[in-house]
């Protein structure tokens, strides 16, 4: 078999294994090992490549950023900052039709700037926002749909765990990726807000909540400026510490993760929201998440080496050039593949599967890899909201509990308009790359 045939066969085998239920990282490692063995007809060489990949993949200091940002996000999620942010946003948008939905988006946008994990946002605001929206007369599908849609802001507005992963895989500056994600993230949040208000007027049956908003603020105590400041000050301080440190050149991304994790711990202790039991649970969950991500990175590194052995990236690049496909055409094909894979895989796995094949081709075509990173994150995040996988949807359902009257169907239907709005923003970023590069 030729190298290209082995590469094609490895892709087919990997998809079969993943569909059969084998973990993505295990599939990557197994297929890569078999691919090198078949290519070189040497079991020892394939085994040695496994050892080298495990040793070299995650020994760089940059990988320390993963557990640090995960730890910060989990501490923030139990510190009550999500609740505080929502309370302030709820008061700010109380006079707007669909205002509670807009408040959820605004709170999620702020929360995203201190977590970087979509799943944490989905879990926190399912507990905070959904009961309040249901109490105010919003429909089931809208109440959970707005939480599902706005939770994806956690992976676009920096700091973002997916941007860190993309930077590691493509050897791009994580700090530059963070800056590139600011305007697209804000654009997505504004698009969500405008879309919610439009839906409240055009499709009131889908949104609900009109009766409660007829007399806004009648049944709630309004906070004073001092209380608002007390709720927002810790959030602003943490954002300034992490992002200000990175953009100001004081910290590397890894150092900023350490500073952010320490700052989040201090805030949680001052708020008396963190006891020993909760802290242990946070540490265990951080370990589980970090181990999963690092295992995926090792698998992706091994798979990239196997593809390099086959010569497939060079063959694909030559084929694309000879076919006359433009760089935009290849990017559109990558987007289509990522959105399709989003129906069955999580975001990290999609990046790890697609980037080793797509990036060498696009880099050869002169594509800006920072702009491509924003495109890739938007594409894979659409998959968080699409059936049958839709990991954000399942997190929301799990958080609601088995006794809830909200079904998976309600969540997917509620998230559908937000997935369409994400497609709109993706199109804007694709046609107007300056949205991502304006701050660089």
């Amino acid at each position: 078999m030729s190298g290209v045939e082995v590469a094609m066969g490895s892709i087919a085998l990997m998809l079969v294994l993943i569909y059969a239920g084998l973990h993505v990282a295990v599939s990557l490692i197994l297929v890569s090992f078999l691919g090198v063995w078949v290519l070189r007809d040497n079991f020892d060489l394939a085994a040695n490549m496994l050892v080298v990949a495990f040793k070299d993949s995650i020994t760089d200091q940059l990988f320390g950023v993963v557990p640090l940002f995960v730890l910060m996000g989990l501490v923030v999620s139990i510190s009550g900052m999500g609740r505080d942010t929502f309370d302030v946003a709820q008061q700010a948008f109380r006079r707007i039709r669909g205002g509670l939905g807009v408040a959820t988006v605004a709170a999620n946008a702020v929360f995203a700037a201190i977590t970087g994990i979509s799943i944490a946002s989905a879990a926190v605001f399912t507990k905070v926002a959904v009961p309040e929206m249901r109490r105010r007369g919003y429909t089931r599908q809208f109440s959970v749909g707005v939480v599902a849609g706005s939770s994806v802001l956690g992976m676009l507005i920096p700091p973002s765990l997916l941007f860190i992963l993309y930077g590691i895989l493509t050897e791009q500056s994580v700090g530059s990726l963070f800056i590139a994600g600011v305007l697209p993230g804000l654009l997505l949040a504004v698009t969500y807000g405008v879309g919610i208000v439009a839906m409240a007027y055009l499709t009131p049956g889908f949104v609900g909540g009109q009766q409660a908003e007829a007399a806004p603020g009648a049944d709630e105590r309004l906070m004073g400026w001092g209380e608002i400041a007390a709720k927002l000050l810790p959030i602003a301080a943490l954002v300034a510490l992490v992002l200000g440190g990175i953009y100001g050149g004081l910290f590397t991304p890894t150092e900023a993760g350490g500073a952010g994790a320490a700052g989040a711990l201090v805030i949680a202790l001052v708020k008396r929201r963190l006891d020993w039991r909760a802290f242990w649970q946070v540490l265990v969950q951080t370990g589980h998440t970090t181990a999963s991500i690092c295992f995926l990175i090792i698998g992706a590194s091994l798979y990239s080496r196997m593809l390099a052995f086959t010569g497939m990236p060079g063959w694909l690049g030559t084929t694309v050039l000879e076919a006359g496909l433009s760089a935009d055409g290849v990017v559109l094909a990558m987007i289509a593949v990522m959105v399709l894979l989003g129906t069955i895989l999580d975001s990290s796995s999609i990046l790890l599967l697609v980037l080793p094949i797509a990036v060498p081709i696009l880099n050869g075509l002169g594509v800006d890899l920072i702009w491509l990173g924003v495109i890739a994150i938007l594409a894979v995040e659409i998959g968080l909201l699409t059936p049958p996988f839709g990991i954000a949807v399942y997190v929301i359902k799990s958080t609601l509990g088995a006794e809830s009257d909200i079904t998976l169907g309600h969540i997917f239907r509620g998230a559908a308009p937000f997935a369409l709005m994400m497609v709109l923003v993706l199109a804007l970023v694709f046609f107007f790359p300056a949205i991502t590069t304006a701050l660089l």
Side-chain angles (χ1 to χ4, degrees), residues 378-406:
L378 278 167
V380 299
E381 288 295 281
I382 292 173
L384 286 180
L385 308 179
T386 53
F389 192 73
I391 188 170
V393 172
Y394 285 92
V395 168
I396 290 171
K397 178 58 181 172
S398 175
T399 306
L400 288 170
E403 69 281 357
S404 174
D405 62 343
I406 298 176

Tab-separated table of all heavy atoms in Angstrom, residues 378-406:
chain	number	residue	atom	x	y	z
A	378	LEU	N	-15.362	28.993	15.931
A	378	LEU	CA	-16.782	29.225	15.642
A	378	LEU	C	-17.417	27.981	15.023
A	378	LEU	O	-18.542	27.602	15.394
A	378	LEU	CB	-16.938	30.415	14.696
A	378	LEU	CG	-16.890	31.808	15.333
A	378	LEU	CD1	-16.736	32.881	14.257
A	378	LEU	CD2	-18.159	32.071	16.153
A	379	ALA	N	-16.710	27.336	14.104
A	379	ALA	CA	-17.269	26.164	13.430
A	379	ALA	C	-17.506	25.019	14.399
A	379	ALA	O	-18.575	24.380	14.390
A	379	ALA	CB	-16.340	25.725	12.292
A	380	VAL	N	-16.506	24.745	15.255
A	380	VAL	CA	-16.675	23.614	16.170
A	380	VAL	C	-17.695	23.931	17.269
A	380	VAL	O	-18.390	23.030	17.765
A	380	VAL	CB	-15.337	23.183	16.802
A	380	VAL	CG1	-14.363	22.741	15.740
A	380	VAL	CG2	-14.737	24.284	17.652
A	381	GLU	N	-17.825	25.215	17.639
A	381	GLU	CA	-18.781	25.562	18.684
A	381	GLU	C	-20.224	25.433	18.212
A	381	GLU	O	-21.127	25.220	19.020
A	381	GLU	CB	-18.519	26.985	19.182
A	381	GLU	CG	-17.259	27.129	20.022
A	381	GLU	CD	-17.351	26.354	21.328
A	381	GLU	OE1	-17.980	26.832	22.272
A	381	GLU	OE2	-16.804	25.238	21.383
A	382	ILE	N	-20.448	25.564	16.909
A	382	ILE	CA	-21.796	25.313	16.383
A	382	ILE	C	-22.210	23.886	16.713
A	382	ILE	O	-23.381	23.608	17.004
A	382	ILE	CB	-21.839	25.569	14.861
A	382	ILE	CG1	-21.655	27.061	14.572
A	382	ILE	CG2	-23.161	25.085	14.257
A	382	ILE	CD1	-21.506	27.395	13.099
A	383	GLY	N	-21.223	22.983	16.698
A	383	GLY	CA	-21.510	21.588	17.017
A	383	GLY	C	-21.969	21.358	18.439
A	383	GLY	O	-22.609	20.346	18.741
A	384	LEU	N	-21.662	22.307	19.360
A	384	LEU	CA	-22.141	22.177	20.738
A	384	LEU	C	-23.658	22.256	20.836
A	384	LEU	O	-24.245	21.846	21.836
A	384	LEU	CB	-21.532	23.276	21.608
A	384	LEU	CG	-20.055	23.149	21.994
A	384	LEU	CD1	-19.641	24.322	22.856
A	384	LEU	CD2	-19.794	21.846	22.730
A	385	LEU	N	-24.289	22.819	19.795
A	385	LEU	CA	-25.730	23.057	19.851
A	385	LEU	C	-26.518	22.158	18.905
A	385	LEU	O	-27.750	22.246	18.865
A	385	LEU	CB	-26.030	24.528	19.491
A	385	LEU	CG	-25.256	25.595	20.271
A	385	LEU	CD1	-25.652	26.979	19.777
A	385	LEU	CD2	-25.513	25.466	21.756
A	386	THR	N	-25.832	21.315	18.121
A	386	THR	CA	-26.518	20.544	17.087
A	386	THR	C	-26.686	19.087	17.496
A	386	THR	O	-25.792	18.506	18.112
A	386	THR	CB	-25.730	20.610	15.763
A	386	THR	OG1	-24.371	20.210	15.998
A	386	THR	CG2	-25.738	22.022	15.194
A	387	PRO	N	-27.829	18.486	17.150
A	387	PRO	CA	-28.029	17.064	17.439
A	387	PRO	C	-27.192	16.209	16.482
A	387	PRO	O	-26.782	16.681	15.425
A	387	PRO	CB	-29.538	16.879	17.192
A	387	PRO	CG	-29.903	17.975	16.236
A	387	PRO	CD	-28.979	19.124	16.517
A	388	PRO	N	-26.935	14.929	16.835
A	388	PRO	CA	-27.428	14.263	18.047
A	388	PRO	C	-26.524	14.430	19.273
A	388	PRO	O	-26.926	14.092	20.371
A	388	PRO	CB	-27.458	12.796	17.634
A	388	PRO	CG	-26.339	12.675	16.641
A	388	PRO	CD	-26.285	13.981	15.901
A	389	PHE	N	-25.284	14.925	19.077
A	389	PHE	CA	-24.367	14.988	20.232
A	389	PHE	C	-24.622	16.241	21.055
A	389	PHE	O	-25.109	16.157	22.165
A	389	PHE	CB	-22.917	14.929	19.746
A	389	PHE	CG	-21.935	14.701	20.848
A	389	PHE	CD1	-21.829	13.460	21.444
A	389	PHE	CD2	-21.121	15.716	21.303
A	389	PHE	CE1	-20.926	13.232	22.467
A	389	PHE	CE2	-20.209	15.501	22.323
A	389	PHE	CZ	-20.118	14.260	22.902
A	390	GLY	N	-24.284	17.420	20.544
A	390	GLY	CA	-24.577	18.685	21.219
A	390	GLY	C	-24.222	18.678	22.692
A	390	GLY	O	-25.111	18.706	23.548
A	391	ILE	N	-22.928	18.646	23.008
A	391	ILE	CA	-22.499	18.428	24.388
A	391	ILE	C	-23.068	19.468	25.352
A	391	ILE	O	-23.426	19.152	26.490
A	391	ILE	CB	-20.962	18.384	24.474
A	391	ILE	CG1	-20.520	17.957	25.878
A	391	ILE	CG2	-20.338	19.715	24.071
A	391	ILE	CD1	-19.043	17.660	25.971
A	392	ALA	N	-23.193	20.728	24.912
A	392	ALA	CA	-23.760	21.756	25.788
A	392	ALA	C	-25.203	21.423	26.151
A	392	ALA	O	-25.659	21.671	27.279
A	392	ALA	CB	-23.693	23.131	25.120
A	393	VAL	N	-25.924	20.852	25.200
A	393	VAL	CA	-27.322	20.468	25.433
A	393	VAL	C	-27.402	19.385	26.500
A	393	VAL	O	-28.247	19.443	27.414
A	393	VAL	CB	-27.966	19.996	24.116
A	393	VAL	CG1	-29.354	19.416	24.364
A	393	VAL	CG2	-28.036	21.153	23.116
A	394	TYR	N	-26.511	18.416	26.429
A	394	TYR	CA	-26.534	17.321	27.404
A	394	TYR	C	-26.085	17.789	28.787
A	394	TYR	O	-26.572	17.286	29.805
A	394	TYR	CB	-25.664	16.166	26.906
A	394	TYR	CG	-26.320	15.375	25.805
A	394	TYR	CD1	-26.101	15.701	24.472
A	394	TYR	CD2	-27.191	14.330	26.088
A	394	TYR	CE1	-26.716	14.993	23.455
A	394	TYR	CE2	-27.818	13.617	25.087
A	394	TYR	CZ	-27.573	13.958	23.763
A	394	TYR	OH	-28.197	13.245	22.767
A	395	VAL	N	-25.162	18.757	28.824
A	395	VAL	CA	-24.753	19.320	30.116
A	395	VAL	C	-25.941	20.015	30.771
A	395	VAL	O	-26.175	19.876	31.977
A	395	VAL	CB	-23.580	20.298	29.926
A	395	VAL	CG1	-23.341	21.107	31.202
A	395	VAL	CG2	-22.320	19.540	29.549
A	396	ILE	N	-26.695	20.780	29.992
A	396	ILE	CA	-27.873	21.481	30.524
A	396	ILE	C	-28.901	20.473	31.027
A	396	ILE	O	-29.468	20.634	32.120
A	396	ILE	CB	-28.474	22.396	29.449
A	396	ILE	CG1	-27.535	23.572	29.183
A	396	ILE	CG2	-29.852	22.913	29.869
A	396	ILE	CD1	-27.925	24.419	27.999
A	397	LYS	N	-29.161	19.447	30.239
A	397	LYS	CA	-30.139	18.432	30.652
A	397	LYS	C	-29.689	17.733	31.926
A	397	LYS	O	-30.505	17.503	32.840
A	397	LYS	CB	-30.316	17.410	29.519
A	397	LYS	CG	-31.271	16.268	29.859
A	397	LYS	CD	-32.662	16.778	30.236
A	397	LYS	CE	-33.589	15.612	30.591
A	397	LYS	NZ	-34.880	16.080	31.132
A	398	SER	N	-28.398	17.420	32.006
A	398	SER	CA	-27.881	16.763	33.208
A	398	SER	C	-28.002	17.678	34.420
A	398	SER	O	-28.345	17.223	35.522
A	398	SER	CB	-26.422	16.363	32.992
A	398	SER	OG	-25.849	15.833	34.162
A	399	THR	N	-27.741	18.972	34.245
A	399	THR	CA	-27.822	19.924	35.350
A	399	THR	C	-29.251	20.114	35.815
A	399	THR	O	-29.514	20.296	37.015
A	399	THR	CB	-27.224	21.282	34.921
A	399	THR	OG1	-25.893	21.073	34.427
A	399	THR	CG2	-27.170	22.253	36.086
A	400	LEU	N	-30.197	20.074	34.877
A	400	LEU	CA	-31.608	20.229	35.230
A	400	LEU	C	-32.099	19.069	36.098
A	400	LEU	O	-32.957	19.248	36.966
A	400	LEU	CB	-32.467	20.318	33.966
A	400	LEU	CG	-32.357	21.619	33.155
A	400	LEU	CD1	-33.076	21.449	31.816
A	400	LEU	CD2	-32.954	22.790	33.923
A	401	GLY	N	-31.571	17.883	35.854
A	401	GLY	CA	-31.982	16.715	36.629
A	401	GLY	C	-33.103	15.933	35.966
A	401	GLY	O	-33.838	16.453	35.101
A	402	ALA	N	-33.250	14.692	36.371
A	402	ALA	CA	-34.234	13.801	35.750
A	402	ALA	C	-35.669	14.235	36.028
A	402	ALA	O	-36.591	13.907	35.268
A	402	ALA	CB	-34.016	12.369	36.241
A	403	GLU	N	-35.886	14.979	37.121
A	403	GLU	CA	-37.256	15.355	37.479
A	403	GLU	C	-37.769	16.557	36.701
A	403	GLU	O	-38.958	16.896	36.776
A	403	GLU	CB	-37.333	15.660	38.982
A	403	GLU	CG	-36.603	16.928	39.428
A	403	GLU	CD	-35.112	16.740	39.559
A	403	GLU	OE1	-34.654	15.584	39.349
A	403	GLU	OE2	-34.404	17.722	39.856
A	404	SER	N	-36.926	17.209	35.925
A	404	SER	CA	-37.331	18.405	35.179
A	404	SER	C	-38.297	18.049	34.060
A	404	SER	O	-38.220	16.970	33.459
A	404	SER	CB	-36.101	19.100	34.597
A	404	SER	OG	-36.481	20.174	33.758
A	405	ASP	N	-39.224	18.979	33.760
A	405	ASP	CA	-40.169	18.774	32.666
A	405	ASP	C	-39.598	19.228	31.323
A	405	ASP	O	-40.293	19.215	30.314
A	405	ASP	CB	-41.475	19.521	32.940
A	405	ASP	CG	-41.284	21.032	33.038
A	405	ASP	OD1	-40.134	21.478	33.224
A	405	ASP	OD2	-42.292	21.763	32.924
A	406	ILE	N	-38.343	19.656	31.309
A	406	ILE	CA	-37.681	20.098	30.080
A	406	ILE	C	-36.937	18.915	29.467
A	406	ILE	O	-36.099	18.287	30.114
A	406	ILE	CB	-36.697	21.250	30.362
A	406	ILE	CG1	-37.452	22.458	30.923
A	406	ILE	CG2	-35.953	21.648	29.094
A	406	ILE	CD1	-36.549	23.610	31.334
